[in-house]
Amino acid sequence: MYSHNEATLQLPPLNPSRIEERGVSIRDYVDLLIEGRKIILMALSAVLLVTTAYLLFAPRTYKADALLRIDKNKALLAAPLRSEANGAQAEADNPRAQREVEILRSRSVLGKVVDDLNLMVEASPYYFPVIGETLARRHDAHDGVAGSWWGFSRWAWGGEKLKIASFTVPDRYLGKAFTLIALEQGRFRLLGPKDEELAEGRIGEMLIADMGETAPAVIKIEELAAHPGTHFELTRKTSLAAIEKLQKAFSVKEVSKDTDILSVELKGREPEQLAKSVNDIANIYVNATVNWESAEASQKLGFLESQLPVVKERLEKAEQGLSSYRQQHGAVDISAEAEILLKQASEMETLGIQLKQKYEEQNQHLESAHPDMIATKAQIKRIDQKLANLDKRIKDLPRTQQNVVSLSRDVQVNTELYTSLLNSAQEQRIAAAGSLGNSRIVDFAVTPEKPYWPKPGLLLAVATLLGLSAGSAIVFLRHSLQRHDNYPALLEYQVGLPLFAAIPHSKKQRRLARLIDQGRDREPGILVSQDPLDISVESLRGLRTTLEATFAGDASKVIMVSSPAPGMGKSFVSTNLSALLASIKKRVLIIDADMRNGRLHEAFSVNKEPGLSDLLAGRATLGEVIVSLPDVGVDFIPRGSMALNPAELLVLGNLEETLEQLKSFYNHIVIDSPPILGATDAAVIGKYADATFLVVKEGRYTAQELEVSFRRFQQVGVKPNGFIINDMKEGSSYYPYYGYAYKRTDMEPKTASMFTAGYQAVGDWLGKHQDRDYLLASESIEDTDDKAQA
């Protein structure tokens, strides 16, 4: 038998330098994605389904916003009080938007909002689980309170209202949930955190409930609209907790850089409450800035008014001194030089007094190390030095003129200072009375009509992108985890076996296998008979043509089909190849040689006993084990009863003589053997076969497995003819040209039925003739047995 294998078609040797593993191209990725389109669509559908459920049941979040304009600080001190020598830009001249943002988020502002709007108390109705809030949201509040569904009056179904004027609890119950139950005739019942009944009250009346603490629970309801039995959850939080919650939902940002326009935003579930809260925050902030500036003006005014009597007294004394001196000495002429010195001295002394007043004012709210304090002190020191120089020059004047200049300077300085203080005091009175602050409300918040979140368009777009990405990632991950060689030509070179066929994946065969496993298929589960136009059948027809051309010189052939491991599809190839060989008027016998786990009898819907094991063990004759299958057009020998020693039966059971007898009656004998790496049965059977093929499944084989299988056969003197790749996925990048097949719409129903009828007629004809050959075979076998005994 080994000589038959040597006679097989030999391929020319391949040049190793020309065998290169093909690189991955964009077409490979596209084909892989097309192949895994079902996984991608499933992932996309799952993500879109979750997103749609979220859009339906997620609570709606609204956003209310207002615009504030921040003006630069207006100087409230009079112009004479400013030092012209200080060229630094004042702090008030810089934009203060960032500082105002922090002021808006401060507890002093938000705490006032929490107190004004009673945000420390939270109240919400009980909704039916999962769908209750969605149904309540769809109810129009103008239609009143929605009726309860199926009698579930405990939950709210839309249109319920609860407005609490005040609610206080003992300190240990802060943050814990109380329950309020609506009753008939404007009454309600209050339950404690442990659902204990506390008290019953009426809308508009103060309800005091004793809880065994130093302070009772006190509640007053202003408005309650709900069906009797509806439950509400009440919670009293601390002021700090309410402020922190408001800070998380509250945001302030500058609309654009250097515009000093702030956008105040607040997010939450209740649209009306949001608008009120934002407007309250804006009003409180604007009023606070007005009060701060008014208080600052009042403080400056108080300081000026305290200095006016002192300066006025100095002025009166200076005037009296000058008047008395002139009365004693008469009119004294002042020279031009003395007038210039008098003017300069008066200006310097006036400026020095103003700087000292400024220093005292700064000292009330600044530290001594502050840069402004240091600058003012330096200016005072320079003015004192100039005054000292002027005094030296005045002392050089005649005695009479010195006295007149000194007295005139005191009068002039005190007059200017007194006049300046009067003007500044009047300005501060006006500023304190008409202060508008440095903030303005540009736009007030309005009640939002549409929710801010969730956004259906954005979420669906993101979900689509995420679903496609996740599905593609699963496809690539599955592909990377599969065991395969990327280039079949390289695989042929590495193993030394030619590739005879690449059989595409068949959806119909998958369904047939599932029906066979479930025991629901009463007819032969052969793809050729069930669907002759399947793409896998077309590929097997190519294999049949190759075999006929390769072994055309021999009268009959024994073809063994094996595989490296189970689950590769050798039984599928054996059964369908046998049926295709029978369809061209060949007498075909298929033998299930897997006496351990053979299942060909299930595919053909026949009994497994008697079979090959019974024949080799001598418990049955050849005529008893051969089963005629007219629907398929082949004869079949099942595996037989369970055998504990299949390899011994194959060696001792005269398998070679049996095959020689069968060759005289059949053109082809197809043997479905066990996997070569799992048992030695295939190696024993291969010695009697004319052709041996290894079936591997795409994604589940490696070159090492094929090479080991090839060596197993070589060890017993069997040389496999080639290998067959089974179950290639549609659109596979390895063999992209296996994409051609007849479409169902391309063949008329009448033509298809004629094709099936002709195929059935061939099978019937073969069945009739093979029945006659069975009888002849049985008689010949009996004669041989008699001669052997003689």
Side-chain angles (χ1 to χ4, degrees):
M1 289 302 169
Y2 185 80
S3 60
H4 289 285
N5 286 317
E6 291 290 346
T8 57
L9 180 64
Q10 299 294 330
L11 295 178
L14 297 177
N15 186 1
S17 61
R18 298 180 59 185
I19 300 298
E20 297 179 356
E21 187 172 355
R22 186 180 60 177
V24 180
S25 63
I26 297 178
R27 174 61 186 273
D28 296 332
Y29 290 124
V30 173
D31 291 340
L32 187 61
L33 293 176
I34 294 176
E35 177 186 344
R37 59 186 180 273
K38 289 185 177 180
I39 297 177
I40 297 176
L41 290 177
M42 289 176 62
L44 177 61
S45 301
V47 175
L48 289 178
L49 182 62
V50 174
T51 304
T52 304
Y54 175 78
L55 290 174
L56 289 176
F57 301 113
R60 298 305 186 253
T61 301
Y62 295 86
K63 180 178 71 173
D65 56 357
L67 288 180
L68 296 178
R69 176 185 174 184
I70 308 300
D71 297 329
K72 296 179 180 180
N73 280 347
K74 301 177 290 295
L76 299 179
L77 289 175
L81 293 179
R82 289 184 179 176
S83 174
E84 297 178 358
N86 186 11
Q89 188 180 15
E91 179 187 1
D93 295 333
N94 294 326
R96 50 184 301 182
Q98 296 300 322
R99 185 172 64 182
E100 300 304 317
V101 168
E102 299 302 324
I103 294 176
L104 278 165
R105 293 181 56 84
S106 64
R107 288 194 297 269
S108 61
V109 175
L110 299 184
K112 189 70 166 58
V113 176
V114 169
D115 295 335
D116 292 346
L117 300 180
N118 196 23
L119 299 182
M120 293 180 291
V121 180
E122 293 184 352
S124 61
Y126 282 16
Y127 293 110
F128 192 81
V130 182
I131 64 173
E133 188 172 357
T134 302
L135 296 176
R137 186 170 56 247
R138 294 180 177 274
H139 177 74
D140 191 355
H142 296 88
D143 296 335
V145 181
S148 59
W149 285 38
W150 305 299
F152 294 120
S153 60
R154 173 189 178 89
W155 290 281
W157 300 96
E160 292 79 10
K161 294 181 180 179
L162 175 61
K163 186 176 182 181
I164 301 175
S166 62
F167 180 46
T168 59
V169 297
D171 293 341
R172 61 176 297 189
Y173 292 102
L174 291 173
K176 295 184 179 180
F178 288 73
T179 303
L180 186 142
I181 303 176
L183 303 177
E184 297 179 351
Q185 298 179 356
R187 298 185 62 82
F188 62 89
R189 180 182 299 115
L190 183 64
L191 304 181
K194 298 181 180 180
D195 292 336
E196 70 276 14
E197 183 175 349
L198 299 179
E200 291 187 6
R202 186 179 296 276
I203 299 175
E205 297 179 357
M206 189 73 68
L207 176 62
I208 300 176
D210 186 11
M211 301 187 66
E213 302 289 334
T214 55
V218 181
I219 185 172
K220 182 179 180 181
I221 305 297
E222 287 187 0
E223 183 181 2
L224 176 60
H227 289 297
T230 305
H231 287 53
F232 294 83
E233 181 178 330
L234 306 181
T235 305
R236 168 75 183 197
K237 294 185 176 181
T238 62
S239 179
L240 181 60
I243 292 174
E244 291 178 350
K245 182 179 179 180
L246 185 60
Q247 285 177 336
K248 292 179 180 179
F250 178 66
S251 62
V252 185
K253 61 182 179 181
E254 194 173 4
V255 175
S256 59
K257 189 176 181 180
D258 298 334
T259 57
D260 292 337
I261 302 295
L262 300 182
S263 174
V264 182
E265 298 178 354
L266 185 62
K267 299 174 184 177
R269 294 190 181 184
E270 300 180 3
E272 296 181 359
Q273 185 71 30
L274 289 176
K276 292 179 181 179
S277 300
V278 172
N279 290 331
D280 200 16
I281 291 172
N283 289 323
I284 290 175
Y285 167 73
V286 172
N287 293 334
T289 56
V290 172
N291 295 334
W292 291 337
E293 292 194 0
S294 179
E296 184 178 2
S298 300
Q299 184 179 5
K300 293 179 180 180
L301 179 60
F303 173 76
L304 294 175
E305 289 180 346
S306 65
Q307 295 295 321
L308 280 174
V310 178
V311 176
K312 183 178 181 181
E313 184 179 356
R314 290 176 183 174
L315 177 59
E316 292 176 351
K317 290 181 179 181
E319 290 176 346
Q320 290 177 2
L322 179 60
S323 178
S324 300
Y325 186 82
R326 285 182 174 177
Q327 288 179 2
Q328 292 178 2
H329 299 86
V332 179
D333 295 332
I334 302 176
S335 62
E337 182 183 1
E339 289 183 356
I340 294 174
L341 292 174
L342 175 61
K343 184 177 180 182
Q344 291 179 353
S346 299
E347 291 177 354
M348 290 295 103
E349 190 171 356
T350 301
L351 185 56
I353 294 174
Q354 291 177 351
L355 289 174
K356 290 178 181 179
Q357 291 177 348
K358 180 180 180 181
Y359 183 82
E360 292 178 1
E361 181 184 354
Q362 291 176 343
N363 193 29
Q364 295 180 1
H365 53 83
L366 296 177
E367 298 291 339
S368 59
H370 195 276
D372 292 344
M373 296 283 288
I374 297 174
T376 304
K377 189 182 296 184
Q379 292 175 358
I380 293 174
K381 186 176 181 180
R382 288 195 297 268
I383 295 299
D384 291 341
Q385 291 177 356
K386 291 181 179 180
L387 281 175
N389 295 331
L390 290 174
D391 289 339
K392 289 181 182 179
R393 295 177 62 184
I394 291 175
K395 289 181 180 179
D396 295 337
L397 297 175
R399 183 71 178 177
T400 305
Q401 290 186 3
Q402 290 182 18
N403 294 332
V404 172
V405 170
S406 177
L407 293 173
S408 299
R409 184 183 68 181
D410 292 340
V411 172
Q412 186 174 356
V413 168
N414 288 294
T415 300
E416 291 180 0
L417 186 58
Y418 184 71
T419 303
S420 176
L421 288 175
L422 285 176
N423 292 334
S424 298
Q426 186 63 29
E427 290 177 359
Q428 295 299 327
R429 291 189 185 95
I430 296 174
S435 179
L436 297 177
N438 66 333
S439 303
R440 305 286 186 277
I441 300 178
V442 179
D443 286 335
F444 283 94
V446 296
T447 303
E449 298 178 354
K450 296 182 179 180
Y452 167 77
W453 186 263
K455 297 180 179 179
L458 177 62
L459 287 179
L460 289 176
V462 173
T464 302
L465 181 61
L466 180 61
L468 293 176
S469 302
S472 303
I474 294 174
V475 170
F476 285 115
L477 179 62
R478 187 188 67 169
H479 176 72
S480 63
L481 294 177
Q482 289 178 344
R483 301 167 58 191
H484 48 65
D485 291 301
N486 292 330
Y487 196 13
L490 179 62
L491 182 63
E492 292 181 2
Y493 171 74
Q494 291 176 344
V495 179
L497 291 177
L499 175 66
F500 266 69
I503 303 173
H505 173 76
S506 174
K507 300 178 182 178
K508 179 69 174 180
Q509 175 61 29
R510 186 176 181 180
R511 289 193 293 268
L512 286 175
R514 188 182 301 112
L515 292 175
I516 292 173
D517 292 338
Q518 296 174 357
R520 296 165 55 185
D521 194 3
R522 300 300 180 183
E523 299 179 358
I526 306 301
L527 184 62
V528 172
S529 60
Q530 295 286 342
D531 192 357
L533 303 180
D534 190 85
I535 185 173
S536 298
V537 177
E538 293 296 329
S539 178
L540 288 169
R541 287 192 177 98
L543 176 61
R544 179 192 64 185
T545 303
T546 303
L547 293 177
E548 286 296 312
T550 304
F551 304 108
D554 296 329
S556 66
K557 290 294 176 291
V558 178
I559 303 172
M560 186 183 74
V561 181
S562 184
S563 63
M568 296 290 184
K570 59 180 179 59
S571 298
F572 165 75
V573 175
S574 302
T575 53
N576 289 275
L577 178 62
S578 302
L580 288 173
L581 290 172
S583 66
I584 57 174
K585 299 184 179 179
K586 299 289 185 178
R587 294 190 297 274
V588 181
L589 173 68
I590 180 171
I591 302 175
D592 188 356
D594 189 354
M595 290 179 282
R596 294 179 178 86
N597 300 312
R599 298 182 60 186
L600 290 187
H601 60 280
E602 297 180 359
F604 291 120
S605 299
V606 297
N607 295 326
K608 66 180 180 179
E609 298 176 3
L612 180 62
S613 62
D614 302 299
L615 176 64
L616 296 179
R619 294 189 297 268
T621 63
L622 190 60
E624 294 174 346
V625 298
I626 296 177
V627 180
S628 177
L629 301 173
D631 293 337
V632 183
V634 300
D635 289 346
F636 171 55
I637 297 179
R639 76 177 193 186
S641 57
M642 178 63 67
L644 300 178
N645 51 350
E648 287 76 3
L649 281 178
L650 292 173
V651 175
L652 301 176
N654 297 324
L655 177 62
E656 181 179 5
E657 296 179 2
T658 302
L659 292 176
E660 289 295 332
Q661 294 177 7
L662 294 173
K663 283 182 181 180
S664 59
F665 305 119
Y666 296 100
N667 300 113
H668 295 287
I669 300 173
V670 180
I671 302 176
D672 182 14
S673 72
I676 181 62
L677 298 182
T680 61
D681 301 3
V684 176
I685 301 173
K687 294 187 296 184
Y688 312 121
D690 299 314
T692 301
F693 295 97
L694 287 172
V695 178
V696 293
K697 188 175 183 179
E698 184 192 26
R700 291 187 56 187
Y701 68 89
T702 61
Q704 290 79 5
E705 289 180 346
L706 282 177
E707 187 174 359
V708 172
S709 302
F710 179 62
R711 290 179 180 177
R712 287 282 182 89
F713 279 114
Q714 279 187 327
Q715 290 173 357
V716 295
V718 178
K719 183 177 181 180
N721 298 73
F723 67 97
I724 301 169
I725 298 180
N726 183 36
D727 199 28
M728 288 185 61
K729 301 298 185 296
E730 183 179 355
S732 175
S733 59
Y734 311 133
Y735 279 91
Y737 47 84
Y738 273 98
Y740 177 80
Y742 290 113
K743 295 182 180 179
R744 297 301 181 183
T745 56
D746 295 338
M747 179 177 290
E748 296 294 334
K750 184 177 181 181
T751 305
S753 61
M754 291 175 61
F755 184 91
T756 305
Y759 181 81
Q760 185 65 36
V762 172
D764 294 341
W765 182 85
L766 290 174
K768 292 178 180 179
H769 285 73
Q770 287 176 350
D771 290 340
R772 181 185 61 186
D773 293 336
Y774 296 156
L775 297 176
L776 295 175
S778 301
E779 295 175 357
S780 176
I781 292 172
E782 292 177 358
D783 294 341
T784 303
D785 293 340
D786 295 338
K787 293 178 181 180
Q789 292 176 358

